[in-house]
Amino acid sequence: MQHLFLRSISSSLVTVIIALLGFNLTAQNATQSIRGKITDDASKTTLPGVNVVLVKDSLTRVAVTDADGDFKLSNIPIGRHTLKMSLMGYESQTLPNVVVTAGKEVILNITLVEKVTKIGEVEVVYDRSKDKTVTNNDMTTVSARSFNVDDTKKYAGALGDPSRMAANFAGVSAGNDSRNDIVVRGNSPGGMLWQLEGLNIYNPNHFGSVNTTGGPVSMLNNNNLDKSDFLTSAFPAQYGNATAGVFDLRLRDGNNQKHEFLGQMGFNGIELGTEGPLSRNSKASYVVNYRYSTLGLFQAMGISFGTGNATPIYQDINFKITVPTKKNNGKFTLFGIGGNSRIDLLGKDVDTTQANFYGNVNQDSYPRFKMGVVGASYQQNISTKTFVKLTLGASAQTQDYTQDSIAISNKIETKTQNVRAQFLNAKYSAVLTITHKFNARNTLVIGGNTDYIAFDYFNKAIYKGSIDRVFVDINGSTLLSQAYTQFKHRFNSKLSANVGVHVQHFNLNNSLAVEPRAGLKLALTPKSSINAGYGIHNQMQTLYNYYIQTPTPEGIIYSNKNLGFTQSQHFVLGYDHNLTDNIRLKVETYYQHLDKVPVNTFSSSYAAVNDGSGFDFSDITNLSNKGTGTNYGVELTLERFFNKGFYFLITGSLFDSKYKGSDGVERNTAFNTKYAANVLAGKEFEIGKKGNVLVFNIRATRIGGKYLTPLNLEASKQAGRAIFDADKAFSEKQPDYFRVDAKIAFRKEYKKSTLEFAVDFQNVSNHKNVFLQGYNVKTNSISTEYQQGFFPVPMVKFTF
C-alpha cells in the first residue's frame, strides 16, 4: 500500500510541476512592494532620513525614510534583491537575498547601530535582519543565533517547526523522531525556556505533556513567526529559570496597508490565514492563522507515523493585532496562540508488526491536551534615549489522561481503569523592560517579570478495581519572581562587553538565586572575532515534583517540597571568521558544571538530569539537591549563506555529558551521545524569466548512539513487566543514529499571487534507528522498537 502511494505521489508531483510550468497568467509583469521601518538598535527610536537603495543589474530603486522611519519601494520585480541602508553617524547595513513574491508584500523591520566614532565612513556588510550572527537581543555575545520563517521552511526535515529546525545547529540534537524535544549540549530538554513576545510560556506543542518542553507537532505557525532568537549557553541576564537553552520567539505584525490571504495544506494540517489593516485610515493591522490536522488523510494513504491505526486530532490558532499610537513610536499589541489535541490509543488497533511509539496491545489510552496563551503589550519611547515596554499575559495548560487495562479470558474482553490523571497549570504574568541608551558606547537595560501560578493536579494508579496509589492530589498557587539588569559598553569599534545580574525567587519554599552574567567580544580583524561568555543559571523543579505524595505511618507528606533550584555554571569561548562575504566559520568550546541536581536521599543511580524527554514524568520521592553533573565539548559551524542560488550548513559537535547520583558513581546521562553531525545544502533554480523557482534541499544527520539502562530479563519475567537494572543505569550503548532527508519545492508566480508546492522525503534511506527497548510479556523477551521509517510529506501553499 505504501509503495503504491509513493508511486502515485511521485507521478502527481511530476504532473503538477509540468502543469505549473506550462500555466501562465501574465506573470511576466508581476511586481511587488518592499517597505518597512528603520529604528535605532538600542533606543528603538525611529530614524528619519535613512537612504534605502535597491540595486540589481540595471535596476535601481531609492527611498528615504520619513519622520516615522518608514520607507517604501514600489514596482519591484519578482525575485531576490539586495537592499543597502545608510545614515550619517550610523553603521551602514546591507540586506542580501530579500525574497520578493507576487502573492505577499515584503515588510521589514530594520535596526541600525550608531557608530562609536564619527571619523571614517566604514561600511559593515552583513545581513543584520537575517544573518545568523546577529540576534534581536544585542546583549548576546556567545552561543546564540537568530532564525526566521525562511529557515523553518527551507531545511529538509524541519516541517516548518522551529525545534526541528534548531536540531541542525551545532550543539543541538533531536530527542527522537516522534517528538521535537531538543537536547542542547547534553542537557535534558526540560532545561529549555520558551518565551513568546517576552512572556514565559508553557510547552507550545500538541500532545505536550505537563512538565515537558516538546511534542510531536508544534502549535507555533511559521507563517506568523518574525525573526526570533535561539540561545544555547551563557545567555544574557534577561533570561532566567532555564539551564539548557532559550527560544525567544517573536510574532510578526500584519500588513497594515492591504489585505492578504493564505491557504496551505501539509503534514502540520490544513491552514487558512488572513492579514490586513483594521481600517482604511489606520496603521493598525491584524494577522491570524488557523490550522486543523490532516494526519487522518495520511493514514488513509497508507502512511504510518508511529501511532498504529489511531488518528491524532489537533487544531490551533495564532494571531496578533497591532495598533500604533500617534506619538513617540508607541505601539499596542494583542497576541496569542492556542490549541488542543487528542488521540484514542486502543489496544485492538495496535499492529504488533509495525513500529508503534505510543500504543500497547494490553491497554486503551485516552490522552487529551490543551494549551493557550494570550498577551497584551504596550511600548513607547518616553524620550529619544529611553524605551519602555510593558506586557501582561495569561497562559494555561491542561492534560487529561485515562488508561484502561485489557484482560481477555475465554475470548471475553474486560476493561478495568488503572490510571486516572488530570493536570492544570495557569499562569498570570507581568513583564516590564526599560532600555536607556546613554550614548553610542553605553546602553543599560533593566527589567523584571512575575508569574503567578495556579495549579490543580490529580494522578492515581488503580489495581484490580481499588485505588493502589495516589501519586499527587493537590491544588494551590505560588509565585515566581525575576528581576535583572544588564549593561553594555563599547570601548571602541572592535571591543565590547556586557555585564549583568539576574535574581529569581520562588515563593513556594523561598528559594532564592543571584546569577551574575558577562560577555566579551573582540574583533581581531574586519572579518574575525573572539568572544567569551559566563553565567550562572538556576531552574526550579516542575511543580508536579514538589507535590508527589510520600505515604508514611503518620500520613501523607511531601518529601520533595523543599527542593531548591538546580544550578548550572556556563563557561564559553568562541571564534568567528567570515572566510568570504558569504561563508562563515564558527568554533565554540564550552564547559558546564551542574550542581544541586535532585537525587534520592538514599544510595541510588537516579538523577533529575535524565528526565524530560518523553510523555511520562518522574514520580520519584525523597529527593535532595545533592547531585552533580558536567557537560563539556567543542562545536564547529561552517555555513554558506544563500548566494547565487546555493547555500550549505555543516555543523559538528564532540561532547561528554556525565552525572553523579546519590550513590556517588559517575555515569553517562541519558543524552550523552558523544557526537552529532549535520550536513545541509540547497540549490535554487530560476525557471524562465517570470520569477518561478525550483528548489532542492538535502540533509544528512549522524548522532552517536544513546546510552540506555539494560533490562533485567529474569526479573521482568517474574514481575510480568519491564524491570530495568538501575545499578547499570545508562551503561548500554545503542547503535549510532543516521538519517537522510530530502526536499523538492517549486514556486510559481502569477501576477498577484504565489503558488508553492513541496514534498519533504524524510528518512529516504529508510534507516532503522533504535527508538527504545522494552519487555514483551507474550514472548518473555526483550523487544526493540525503531524510529520513523521513510515518510513523504507533501505541502501546497497559495498566497494572494
Side-chain angles (χ1 to χ4, degrees), residues 94-214:
T94 298
L95 280 88
N97 298 307
V98 177
V99 180
V100 178
T101 64
K104 182 166 180 54
E105 193 172 44
V106 178
I107 303 175
L108 303 170
N109 290 307
I110 302 166
T111 61
L112 297 183
V113 176
E114 189 176 0
K115 291 180 179 178
V116 174
T117 175
K118 305 296 183 182
I119 300 175
E121 290 284 345
V122 179
E123 183 178 9
V124 180
V125 181
Y126 64 101
D127 180 357
R128 189 168 182 82
S129 174
K130 298 181 180 179
D131 186 354
K132 315 307 181 293
T133 66
V134 180
T135 55
N136 290 321
N137 190 326
D138 65 354
M139 294 289 176
T140 59
T141 55
V142 295
S143 305
R145 70 179 283 156
S146 68
F147 65 93
N148 53 64
V149 62
D150 292 334
D151 294 329
T152 63
K153 292 193 301 182
K154 74 181 180 184
Y155 292 163
L159 298 176
D161 184 338
S163 293
R164 287 186 166 92
M165 172 213 64
N168 298 297
F169 300 156
V172 185
S173 59
N176 62 66
D177 292 347
S178 64
R179 293 171 56 91
N180 62 11
D181 303 89
I182 56 173
V183 176
V184 178
R185 294 181 170 175
N187 289 286
S188 163
M192 289 293 301
L193 168 67
W194 287 95
Q195 277 197 353
L196 180 69
E197 294 287 327
L199 290 177
N200 299 328
I201 66 171
Y202 292 115
N203 183 354
N205 290 283
H206 288 295
F207 305 98
S209 301
V210 171
N211 305 331
T212 65
T213 60

Side-chain angles (χ1 to χ4, degrees), residues 10-42:
S10 299
S11 175
S12 299
L13 175 61
V14 173
T15 303
V16 169
I17 291 178
I18 292 174
L20 291 174
L21 287 172
F23 190 47
N24 182 16
L25 289 179
T26 63
Q28 62 268 24
N29 297 320
T31 62
Q32 188 55 274
S33 298
I34 300 176
R35 60 186 180 88
K37 182 183 288 288
I38 302 180
T39 59
D40 182 278
D41 181 66

Side-chain angles (χ1 to χ4, degrees), residues 30 33 137 342 352 503 542 551 743:
S33 298
N137 190 326
R342 60 185 175 89
T352 57
V503 180
T542 62
K743 183 177 181 180

Side-chain angles (χ1 to χ4, degrees), residues 515-532:
E515 306 167 342
R517 313 282 176 87
L520 184 72
K521 184 173 183 178
L522 174 64
L524 302 176
T525 70
K527 291 188 175 183
S528 64
S529 67
I530 58 173
N531 43 69

Side-chain angles (χ1 to χ4, degrees), residues 701-722:
T701 298
R702 192 173 189 91
I703 303 173
K706 290 183 178 180
Y707 285 90
L708 301 181
T709 301
L711 197 75
N712 187 324
L713 189 56
E714 290 302 320
S716 298
K717 287 181 180 179
Q718 294 178 13
R721 58 185 177 87

